[in-house]
Amino acid sequence: MNKNFSTSYRIYYEDTDASGVVYYANYLKFFERARTDFLRACGISQFTLAQTQSIIFMVRKCQIEYKNSARLDDLIEIKTTVKKFGGASIVMLQEMFRKDDAKLLNILEVEIACVNSKLMKPAKIPEAIKSAFTNEFNG
Amino acid sequence: MNKNFSTSYRIYYEDTDASGVVYYANYLKFFERARTDFLRACGISQFTLAQTQSIIFMVRKCQIEYKNSARLDDLIEIKTTVKKFGGASIVMLQEMFRKDDAKLLNILEVEIACVNSKLMKPAKIPEAIKSAFTNEFNG
Amino acid sequence: MNKNFSTSYRIYYEDTDASGVVYYANYLKFFERARTDFLRACGISQFTLAQTQSIIFMVRKCQIEYKNSARLDDLIEIKTTVKKFGGASIVMLQEMFRKDDAKLLNILEVEIACVNSKLMKPAKIPEAIKSAFTNEFNG
Amino acid sequence: MNKNFSTSYRIYYEDTDASGVVYYANYLKFFERARTDFLRACGISQFTLAQTQSIIFMVRKCQIEYKNSARLDDLIEIKTTVKKFGGASIVMLQEMFRKDDAKLLNILEVEIACVNSKLMKPAKIPEAIKSAFTNEFNG
C-alpha cells in the first residue's frame, strides 16, 4: 500500500478569497475530491455503498499544514497514500502540489471512520474495499 | 402580503473571491438564508416540514441583477417580499442592500415550487403556511 | 459564433446539500468554470488580463431555470454559446446536462460586462478576445 | 488571556451536504467567522489592517477533531481562546457546541501567522492588537 494515487484539479474563482489566493477551508474540498476519486479508481462508489450497505465514511480528524498558497488558474496535483488501515478506520496522507513549479502547498493527515449510517456506529471496513485498495496500490 | 421581511448578514472571507468582492454565486446563499429566516419567523421549520409531511421547496427560476458588489466586513440587509402566492408555487422578490450606505446591491426574483419529496411531484402549499404568511405579513 | 463549447465536471459532496442533490447556488459555480475554460480554450487568461490590462469581467444578470437536479457522483456536461457580442458586454447561453442519460438539468442566460478594474467603468472588449472567440468558434 | 470569546451562528442548507449534516470543510468557515468576530470585538478590522499596514493573518496549521455533526437549522456556539501569543504568531483553541443540547461538536487548534503582505514575510504582531486582546480578555 505504499504506491500513491495522483489526481489533478484546477483552481477557479470560487476557490479563492479576497486575499487573492485559495481560502483555507477550500483546500479540504480538493483533498476530499482526491479521496473520492481514489475510491472510484478502486471501483468503489460511495453513493452505492451508502445505498446498499448503509456504509459511510466520516472524517474524524484532520491535521493540515499550510506551506504555500494555491492561486487562481493554478493546476494542482494531489498525491494520496494510505498510511494505516485499521479495522474500522483509515489514515490517509495527502500532499498537494502546484503542477507548474512542483511546489508543495499543503499536507493533510486525515483519519476516516467507517460508519453504519443506520446505527451511527463504527462498522468494519468491507473486505471488498480492503482488497480493492490492496490490489490497486500494491505491486 | 405587501409588508416586507428584513434580515441582516455579515460578509466574511469565505464569501469573497480573488476579485476582492463577494463571488457572484454566493449572493444566492444570503438570499436563501433570508427565505429560511422568513419561514422561521412565520413559525415554519423546513426540516420538520420535510420530515413530517415530505414537503420540500425547490427553486425553479432565478432572475438576478447585480448592481453593486458587497465587500469583506460589509453588513448587508435583505428585504424579502412575497410577490405571488400560487397553488403550488411562490414568487418572491428579494433586494440586498449595504447597511452602511443603504446602497442597493442585488435584486432577485425567485420562483419556488412546493414539492412532495416522495413522489417528486408538485404539491399544494399547506394551508398552515399560507395563513402563517398572510397573518405575519398583512396588516 | 454558433458553435458551442463543451466541458465536463464531476459532482462531489461539497456541491450537494441536505436535500440530497446539488445546492441551487452551486450550479452557478460550474457555469463559471465552463466560461473560464471557454476563455482558456481561446487562449485568454483572466488572471493575465487583470494584471496587464486591468480588464475584468463582471456578471451583470443571470437568468437560470432549474429543470432537473444533479446528484452526487454525476458527471455533468456544460455547453456554452455566445448569444450576443456587444461593445462592452457579452451574453452567453449555457446548458447543463447529465452525461449519463443526457438529461437537461439547467439553463443559464448570463450577461457579462467588460470592466476596467482601476476606473470601475465599462471597458471595450479587447480586439484580441473578440477575434479569439470568433476564430475558435466559427467555421 | 484565559477568558473566552463566544459567538453563535445558524446552520443553513448551504453548509450541509448529501450525507444530511454539515460538510466537513465548512466547519472551518464557522471557526474563521468566530476569529474575525473576535478581532472585531477587540476593535480590529482585518480589512483596515491590510489596507493601512499591509498586515494579514495566514493560517499555518489546523488540527481539527470531529466529535458530533451539526445539522440543518442548528444554532451553534463557538468559544475561542488564545492559547499562545508569540511574536509573529498566535495559537487559538476553538470549540463548537450545539446550543440546543450543549453537545460538543468539534475542536480546532489553529496556528496563525502575522504576515507582511507586500514582502510576504513574517511580521511582528502590532502592539495595538496585542494590548487589545489583553485588555478585552483579561480581568
Side-chain angles (χ1 to χ4, degrees):
Chain A
M1 231 165 304
N2 51 2
K3 248 175 81 185
N4 63 48
F5 175 78
S6 166
T7 40
S8 294
Y9 309 95
R10 177 74 69 179
I11 305 297
Y12 294 95
Y13 267 112
E14 66 188 89
D15 307 309
T16 61
D17 70 21
S19 76
V21 294
V22 170
Y23 180 66
Y24 92 122
N26 291 344
Y27 293 104
L28 290 180
K29 295 186 180 181
F30 292 103
F31 283 122
E32 201 262 318
R33 291 188 202 175
R35 295 194 301 273
T36 295
D37 290 339
F38 184 29
L39 288 174
R40 188 179 288 117
C42 294
I44 299 161
S45 155
Q46 288 186 77
F47 188 72
T48 310
L49 212 58
Q51 297 286 314
T52 59
Q53 300 185 49
S54 305
I55 290 288
I56 56 170
F57 293 107
M58 294 189 77
V59 174
R60 286 292 179 227
K61 262 185 220 171
C62 282
Q63 206 165 336
I64 178 164
E65 229 175 303
Y66 299 88
K67 300 285 198 182
N68 289 287
S69 300
R71 299 163 309 203
L72 193 63
D73 283 349
D74 273 355
L75 197 61
I76 57 162
E77 181 177 14
I78 295 181
K79 292 184 180 166
T80 300
T81 326
V82 175
K83 196 181 161 187
K84 207 183 124 191
F85 216 118
S89 70
I90 309 173
V91 178
M92 286 178 170
L93 197 70
Q94 300 188 281
E95 291 174 308
M96 187 187 293
F97 298 87
R98 186 186 292 121
K99 276 276 217 183
D100 204 31
D101 58 7
K103 207 165 209 172
L104 176 62
L105 306 179
N106 297 286
I107 305 169
L108 173 71
E109 187 174 310
V110 55
E111 187 185 321
I112 296 156
C114 186
V115 173
N116 181 307
S117 64
K118 277 187 186 151
L119 311 171
M120 281 311 277
K121 285 194 177 165
K124 262 194 76 176
I125 299 172
E127 274 309 314
I129 292 185
K130 228 165 187 163
S131 62
F133 268 52
T134 315
N135 294 337
E136 192 73 24
F137 294 96
N138 269 342
Chain B
M1 231 166 303
N2 50 2
K3 248 176 81 185
N4 63 47
F5 175 78
S6 166
T7 40
S8 293
Y9 308 95
R10 176 75 68 179
I11 305 298
Y12 294 95
Y13 267 112
E14 66 189 90
D15 308 310
T16 60
D17 69 22
S19 76
V21 294
V22 170
Y23 180 66
Y24 92 121
N26 290 345
Y27 292 105
L28 289 180
K29 295 187 178 179
F30 292 103
F31 283 123
E32 201 262 320
R33 292 188 203 175
R35 294 194 302 272
T36 295
D37 290 338
F38 183 30
L39 288 174
R40 188 178 290 116
C42 294
I44 300 161
S45 155
Q46 288 186 76
F47 188 71
T48 309
L49 212 60
Q51 297 287 313
T52 60
Q53 299 185 49
S54 305
I55 290 289
I56 57 169
F57 293 106
M58 296 190 76
V59 174
R60 286 291 179 226
K61 263 185 218 171
C62 281
Q63 204 164 339
I64 179 164
E65 230 176 302
Y66 298 87
K67 300 284 197 181
N68 289 287
S69 299
R71 299 163 310 204
L72 192 64
D73 284 349
D74 273 356
L75 197 60
I76 57 162
E77 181 178 14
I78 296 181
K79 293 184 179 168
T80 300
T81 326
V82 175
K83 196 179 161 188
K84 208 183 125 191
F85 215 118
S89 72
I90 308 175
V91 178
M92 285 178 170
L93 196 71
Q94 300 188 280
E95 290 173 310
M96 186 187 294
F97 298 87
R98 186 185 293 123
K99 275 277 217 184
D100 204 31
D101 58 5
K103 208 165 208 173
L104 176 63
L105 306 178
N106 297 285
I107 305 169
L108 173 70
E109 187 173 311
V110 54
E111 187 185 320
I112 296 156
C114 185
V115 173
N116 182 307
S117 64
K118 278 188 186 149
L119 312 171
M120 281 310 279
K121 284 194 177 165
K124 260 194 80 177
I125 299 172
E127 273 309 315
I129 292 185
K130 227 165 187 161
S131 62
F133 268 52
T134 316
N135 293 338
E136 193 72 24
F137 294 94
N138 268 342
Chain C
M1 231 165 304
N2 51 2
K3 247 176 81 185
N4 63 47
F5 175 77
S6 165
T7 40
S8 293
Y9 308 95
R10 177 74 68 178
I11 305 297
Y12 294 95
Y13 266 113
E14 66 187 271
D15 308 309
T16 60
D17 70 22
S19 76
V21 294
V22 171
Y23 180 66
Y24 91 121
N26 291 345
Y27 292 105
L28 289 181
K29 295 186 179 180
F30 292 103
F31 283 124
E32 201 262 318
R33 292 188 203 176
R35 293 195 301 272
T36 295
D37 290 339
F38 183 29
L39 287 174
R40 187 178 289 116
C42 294
I44 300 161
S45 154
Q46 288 187 75
F47 189 72
T48 309
L49 212 59
Q51 298 286 313
T52 59
Q53 301 185 49
S54 305
I55 290 289
I56 57 170
F57 292 106
M58 296 190 75
V59 174
R60 286 291 178 226
K61 264 186 218 171
C62 282
Q63 204 164 338
I64 179 165
E65 229 175 302
Y66 299 87
K67 299 285 196 183
N68 289 287
S69 300
R71 299 163 310 203
L72 193 63
D73 284 346
D74 274 356
L75 197 60
I76 57 162
E77 182 178 13
I78 296 182
K79 292 183 180 167
T80 300
T81 326
V82 176
K83 197 181 161 187
K84 207 183 126 191
F85 215 118
S89 72
I90 308 174
V91 178
M92 285 178 169
L93 197 71
Q94 300 188 279
E95 291 174 308
M96 187 187 292
F97 298 86
R98 185 185 293 123
K99 275 275 217 184
D100 203 32
D101 58 7
K103 206 167 210 173
L104 176 63
L105 305 180
N106 297 284
I107 305 170
L108 172 71
E109 187 173 312
V110 55
E111 187 185 319
I112 296 156
C114 186
V115 173
N116 182 306
S117 64
K118 278 188 186 151
L119 311 171
M120 281 310 279
K121 284 193 178 167
K124 260 195 79 177
I125 299 172
E127 272 310 313
I129 292 185
K130 227 164 187 162
S131 63
F133 268 52
T134 315
N135 294 338
E136 192 72 25
F137 294 95
N138 268 341
Chain D
M1 232 164 302
N2 51 2
K3 249 176 81 185
N4 63 47
F5 175 78
S6 166
T7 39
S8 293
Y9 308 95
R10 176 75 69 179
I11 306 297
Y12 294 95
Y13 267 112
E14 65 189 89
D15 307 308
T16 61
D17 70 21
S19 76
V21 294
V22 170
Y23 180 65
Y24 92 121
N26 291 345
Y27 292 105
L28 289 181
K29 295 187 180 181
F30 292 103
F31 282 123
E32 201 262 318
R33 292 188 202 175
R35 294 195 300 273
T36 295
D37 289 339
F38 184 29
L39 288 174
R40 188 178 289 117
C42 295
I44 300 160
S45 155
Q46 288 186 76
F47 189 72
T48 310
L49 212 59
Q51 297 286 315
T52 60
Q53 301 185 48
S54 305
I55 290 290
I56 57 169
F57 293 107
M58 295 190 77
V59 174
R60 286 291 179 228
K61 264 186 217 169
C62 282
Q63 206 165 338
I64 178 164
E65 231 176 301
Y66 298 87
K67 299 286 196 181
N68 289 286
S69 300
R71 299 163 309 205
L72 192 64
D73 283 348
D74 273 355
L75 197 60
I76 56 162
E77 182 178 12
I78 295 181
K79 292 183 180 168
T80 300
T81 325
V82 175
K83 197 180 162 187
K84 206 182 124 190
F85 215 119
S89 71
I90 309 173
V91 178
M92 285 178 170
L93 197 71
Q94 300 189 279
E95 291 173 310
M96 188 187 292
F97 298 87
R98 187 186 291 123
K99 276 276 216 184
D100 204 31
D101 58 7
K103 207 166 210 173
L104 177 64
L105 306 179
N106 296 286
I107 304 171
L108 172 71
E109 187 174 310
V110 56
E111 187 185 319
I112 296 156
C114 186
V115 173
N116 182 306
S117 64
K118 277 187 186 151
L119 312 171
M120 280 313 277
K121 285 196 177 162
K124 261 195 75 176
I125 300 172
E127 273 310 313
I129 292 185
K130 228 165 186 163
S131 62
F133 268 52
T134 315
N135 294 337
E136 193 72 25
F137 294 95
N138 269 341

